[in-house]
Structures are given as structure tokens and as C-alpha cells.
Amino acid sequence: MPDRVIVKLGGSVITEKSGPCRIDRKRLSEVSRAISRRKGMLLTLVHGAGSCGHPQAARYRIQEGVDGSNRQGITITHAAVAGLNRAVVQALRREGVDAMGLHPLHLCVAEDGRIASFPLEPLERLQALGITPVLHGDVVADRARGASIVSGDQLVTFLAAGLACSRVGVATNVKGVLGPDGKVVPRIDAASVRDLPLGGSGARDVTGGMRGKVEELLRLAGQGIESHIFHVSRLGAFLDGKDHGGTIIGKR
Amino acid sequence: MPDRVIVKLGGSVITEKSGPCRIDRKRLSEVSRAISRRKGMLLTLVHGAGSCGHPQAARYRIQEGVDGSNRQGITITHAAVAGLNRAVVQALRREGVDAMGLHPLHLCVAEDGRIASFPLEPLERLQALGITPVLHGDVVADRARGASIVSGDQLVTFLAAGLACSRVGVATNVKGVLGPDGKVVPRIDAASVRDLPLGGSGARDVTGGMRGKVEELLRLAGQGIESHIFHVSRLGAFLDGKDHGGTIIGKR
């Protein structure tokens, strides 16, 4: 059985996060080359929205609940992040990876902001054929709120457990989780996280920034799955199972 | 409870079917205007692939089964019809319809060419918020064949039953089902269909042409749901419940 691996590309890694939707195509090419060189694993990619989705979600106040008054924010937010997804898929395909975008909005239903239903069979069957699925943080229908945002980080947690992945890699634009001294914290668990002063990752992030990331990954650690947060330039090292100089989130 | 209606736009209605993918944007605008003028119903749209998907599906022999040798046909076929879907959605949105594309590939699994799993909750919840879902014939993962084509006609049958629709309209580029005398057959049922010399609807259609359409709709008739086949220019009449001059497929 090939190694099942999930890689999350942070929204701030593949977009310029401060302005309107600007896709970092050079970064996408580098990432795609690193992935195309590694064979023999079942890879699932998840990316964040960055500036291609967060501003729209915030403008329409999606996280406060959706009804007739702000319903149009669903299609507008989704269109922004789906456009980014197409760019990610195209970059991978140019490097020879048979990538395919899968939109959570089309198949997932949340309940009060958490994934409640997400059939995995289409993804698993496409992957078994040799296709690399590329998912993303998205707005989805929500049983309690009309619609809500399911972040890339939440997706990673859900998919890692649902697909029984062996490793999770989170590629960011920092070296790892930084401590108060500005140095990478090499390891975090459910106990040590309480002492870390984790802030948000910047403006316009409606899904919780670095604290959100770590909290999602600690859920996985509780299920025995280790996650790795590292600078995107070290993606190859992570995929090869080598030292990436970042943070490992694991069990105590 | 508002009227639940499904409208199928034939692939040959919205594309030039003989050449490579050419979208009939004028036709899409007319259709979108007719839909935007009718309020107060829960509408689901389904469209065929026409020249934006059929040639790709045929070239990669998707219907003969998919494995490592022709796997790339999945992403290529899907990309073609997803591009057409974006054009349909854009045309509707320009006329004020809050339309959203939903790709069967993302959520549906077939078994030997027939839909085996298709969660309806995302579609129903988005529709309840006022969004008009726009689905399309697509390549999907298949438990028996690796992947297969689920035609727009099969989708219409499945959704009409699953969503408990009251009416199904199939907009084509002919007046209805034509008999041997060239005139519209006003009514077809499971018994009378055997006497009709129905052929395919033209080249490059891997999903069965007019005979395929009628056979799918007869399944619905068996469940007590009447379908209407009419020229696309009569879409408004169908939506208004008026005479469209076409064929009604119903129970004996």
C-alpha cells in the first residue's frame, strides 16, 4: 500500500494576501515541480484561499450565517477560491501531475461551521486511478447557519483522519511555528500549546490564522497522526521524509 | 411549497455540435432571459456536453472503461464540460439568476454507467437559500469501470425522482420527438415507443441521442413524473405551464 500523504498549501503561500486576488504563479511552479519529482505516494493536496476568497467571505459576513440577505456571497466567495484552485491545478498539470480540483461546496455539508457530511468515495476512486485531488477551503451549505466557511485547515484534519493518512505536511511562508524568541518551536503537543503566544497570521483571515492551524492539527495528533509545519521551500524535504527545519505537531 | 422543476438544455442546443467546443452564447442569453423572468419555482438546470466533452470522451474511450492507459481522459473530458458549465452559469448570472455550477464528478459515483451514489443534501440546501444549481453530463468515478459517463439525461431522471420534481422539461433544437412523417409525436409512453423509429441525434454523441433521451424519460414516467420535450425557443411556454408544441412523455 503506497504512503498516503496530505499537503496543505497555505493561502498566504500561493497568493499575495494583502491585496485583491493575486496568485503567486512562480511559487505554484516551484511547488508543482517538487511534487512532480516524488512518485509512489497517494497524495492529496489542500490549499487555502488567501486573498482569493477571504476578502469576499468577510465582506458578505459568511461566518455570521447566510440567508436571503447575503446569499450572493456564497457564489462570489466560491468563484474566487475556485479560480485559485484552477490555477493550482494548471500549475501541477504543466509539471506532469494529473491533478484535478474538487470543490468542497459541491459535496460537503457543514453543521455550525464543522464538516457534517463529506463523501470520500469519489476522491478515493479518482486517486486510485492515479489522479491527484486538489481541494481547498470553501464556503459550503451549513445545516445550522445556511452556509459557512470550511477552512483548508479543517479539511486537512478531516481528510487525514478519513483517508487514514500517514503524514500531514503544512507548507507556509514561515519556517514553522515561532516561539516568543522568534525561533522555530520544534515540537508542539496538546499540553505545550497552552504556553505558546500564537496570534493570527495576518489581516483578512476569517479562519483563525496560525492558532487555528495548530488547533486543527492537534485534533489529528490526538488520533495519532503527526503533522509537520514548514517553509514551502522545504516541501521536497518533507515529501522525502527528511528534516524540514519546521515544527512537528504530535502527541505528548 | 414552490413548484420543483428541472430543465435540461441539450448539448446540441448550447454548442455547435459538429466542430470543436463552440459555445452558442446568443442561445445561452435567450435561455437565461426566459429563466430570469420566471420566479417562484425551485429550478434545477442540467445541460449536456455537446461538442465540449463528447469528442474528448470518445477520443479517450471513456465508455469502454478507464484505467492507467486512458486515465488522462477523465481530467480532459471534465475540463471541457466544466468550461461549458462556467459559460452557462455566467450567462444566467448576467440575467440576474443566482446560478451555481455543480460538477457530478465531485460528488457522484457510478456503477457500470449508472449513478450509484449522489448525495443531494448540498444541492437541496443551496437551492433552499435561493441558488439555482446548474449540473451537467460528466465523467465520474465508476465502481465497475474505473470511470464512466453520466449523461445529462441520466442526471435529469435521477434528480427528478430524488428531488420529487413536479415537471421535467427537455429543451432541444427540434420541435419534439419526430415521427416517420416528420411531424411531432405529441405523446409517448412505454408501449407506443416501440413503434417509433428513433435514431441517434447526430455524430459524436456517446450517450445515446434521442433514443437515449426518451428511454431515460420513460423511467420517470414509470414513477408518475411527466416530461416534456420541446424546442428551446418554447422554454418560456413550458415554464409557464402553457402549450409548447412538443412531445409529452408520460404514463400509458
Side-chain angles (χ1 to χ4, degrees):
Chain A
M1 185 68 185
D3 215 15
R4 278 197 176 274
V5 177
I6 290 193
V7 166
K8 159 93 194 290
L9 299 169
S12 57
V13 169
I14 56 174
T15 71
E16 300 289 328
K17 213 162 186 178
S18 54
C21 181
R22 279 176 57 190
I23 299 170
D24 188 340
R25 293 178 194 275
K26 185 163 166 287
R27 177 57 61 69
L28 282 181
S29 295
E30 292 162 4
V31 164
S32 300
R33 274 195 294 276
I35 289 169
S36 72
R37 284 182 194 140
R38 274 81 188 179
K39 309 282 181 196
M41 63 178 77
L42 284 173
L43 182 66
T44 302
L45 274 171
V46 176
H47 64 81
S51 57
C52 308
H54 281 292
Q56 292 81 358
R59 190 182 312 134
Y60 285 90
R61 301 176 180 274
I62 300 287
Q63 287 299 62
E64 295 171 24
V66 174
D67 58 19
S69 68
N70 62 343
R71 179 195 78 206
Q72 295 222 321
I74 297 176
T75 41
I76 289 166
T77 301
H78 175 72
V81 69
L84 174 59
N85 184 254
R86 274 199 299 281
V88 175
V89 167
Q90 279 167 6
L92 286 160
R93 295 184 66 78
R94 266 195 293 271
E95 297 297 331
V97 179
D98 196 359
M100 172 175 293
L102 288 182
H103 304 315
L105 172 67
H106 292 204
L107 72 166
C108 172
V109 175
E111 184 151 350
D112 210 16
R114 304 294 303 173
I115 294 169
S117 167
F118 192 121
L120 292 173
E121 191 182 351
L123 186 160
E124 290 180 295
R125 290 199 176 274
L126 293 170
Q127 201 166 45
L129 288 168
I131 288 168
T132 300
V134 185
L135 298 95
H136 55 84
D138 205 354
V139 56
V140 304
D142 188 296
R143 292 172 188 165
R145 303 187 202 164
S148 62
I149 303 293
V150 167
S151 71
D153 293 319
Q154 188 188 155
L155 276 173
V156 165
T157 319
F158 177 86
L159 293 172
L163 299 171
C165 288
S166 51
R167 294 188 295 151
V168 171
V170 179
T172 70
N173 55 6
V174 290
K175 285 184 182 178
V177 179
L178 303 183
D181 58 358
K183 288 183 181 165
V184 172
V185 180
R187 198 172 171 89
I188 297 177
D189 60 35
S192 70
V193 71
R194 290 185 209 115
D195 307 325
L196 283 175
L198 302 174
S201 70
R204 290 171 187 259
D205 189 327
V206 294
T207 53
M210 186 61 90
R211 177 167 289 282
K213 246 180 262 308
V214 171
E215 281 171 359
E216 293 286 354
L217 296 175
L218 279 168
R219 290 172 197 256
L220 270 190
Q223 298 167 58
I225 302 173
E226 267 191 354
S227 302
H228 301 247
I229 300 182
F230 48 82
H231 190 271
V232 61
S233 61
R234 308 303 302 273
L235 175 58
F238 165 75
L239 290 172
D240 291 337
K242 294 181 179 163
D243 178 29
H244 47 67
T247 302
I248 297 176
I249 319 258
K251 253 191 163 166
R252 199 174 174 175
Chain B
M1 185 67 187
D3 214 13
R4 278 196 176 274
V5 177
I6 290 194
V7 167
K8 159 92 193 290
L9 299 170
S12 57
V13 170
I14 58 175
T15 70
E16 300 289 329
K17 213 163 186 178
S18 54
C21 181
R22 278 176 58 188
I23 300 169
D24 188 339
R25 293 177 194 278
K26 184 163 166 287
R27 177 58 62 70
L28 283 181
S29 295
E30 292 162 4
V31 164
S32 299
R33 274 195 295 277
I35 289 170
S36 72
R37 283 181 193 140
R38 274 79 187 181
K39 311 281 183 197
M41 63 178 76
L42 284 173
L43 182 65
T44 302
L45 274 171
V46 175
H47 63 80
S51 57
C52 308
H54 281 291
Q56 291 81 357
R59 192 181 313 137
Y60 285 90
R61 302 176 178 273
I62 300 286
Q63 286 300 59
E64 296 171 24
V66 174
D67 57 19
S69 68
N70 62 342
R71 179 196 79 207
Q72 295 222 321
I74 297 175
T75 41
I76 289 167
T77 302
H78 175 72
V81 68
L84 174 60
N85 183 254
R86 275 199 298 283
V88 176
V89 167
Q90 279 167 6
L92 286 159
R93 295 184 66 79
R94 267 196 291 271
E95 297 297 330
V97 179
D98 196 359
M100 173 175 293
L102 287 181
H103 303 315
L105 172 67
H106 291 204
L107 71 165
C108 171
V109 175
E111 184 152 350
D112 210 15
R114 303 295 303 174
I115 294 169
S117 167
F118 194 121
L120 292 172
E121 191 182 351
L123 186 159
E124 290 179 296
R125 289 198 176 274
L126 293 170
Q127 200 166 46
L129 287 167
I131 288 169
T132 300
V134 186
L135 297 96
H136 55 84
D138 205 355
V139 54
V140 305
D142 188 295
R143 291 173 188 164
R145 301 187 203 164
S148 61
I149 304 294
V150 167
S151 70
D153 292 318
Q154 188 188 155
L155 276 172
V156 164
T157 319
F158 177 86
L159 293 171
L163 299 171
C165 289
S166 52
R167 292 189 296 151
V168 171
V170 178
T172 71
N173 55 6
V174 290
K175 285 184 181 176
V177 179
L178 303 183
D181 58 356
K183 287 184 183 165
V184 172
V185 180
R187 196 169 172 91
I188 296 178
D189 60 35
S192 69
V193 71
R194 288 184 213 117
D195 306 325
L196 282 174
L198 301 173
S201 71
R204 290 173 187 262
D205 190 328
V206 295
T207 53
M210 186 61 91
R211 176 167 289 281
K213 246 181 264 307
V214 171
E215 281 171 0
E216 293 287 352
L217 297 174
L218 278 169
R219 290 172 197 257
L220 270 189
Q223 297 167 59
I225 303 173
E226 265 190 357
S227 302
H228 302 246
I229 299 181
F230 48 83
H231 191 269
V232 60
S233 61
R234 308 303 303 272
L235 175 58
F238 165 75
L239 290 171
D240 291 337
K242 294 181 181 163
D243 178 28
H244 47 67
T247 302
I248 297 177
I249 318 257
K251 254 191 161 162
R252 203 171 172 178

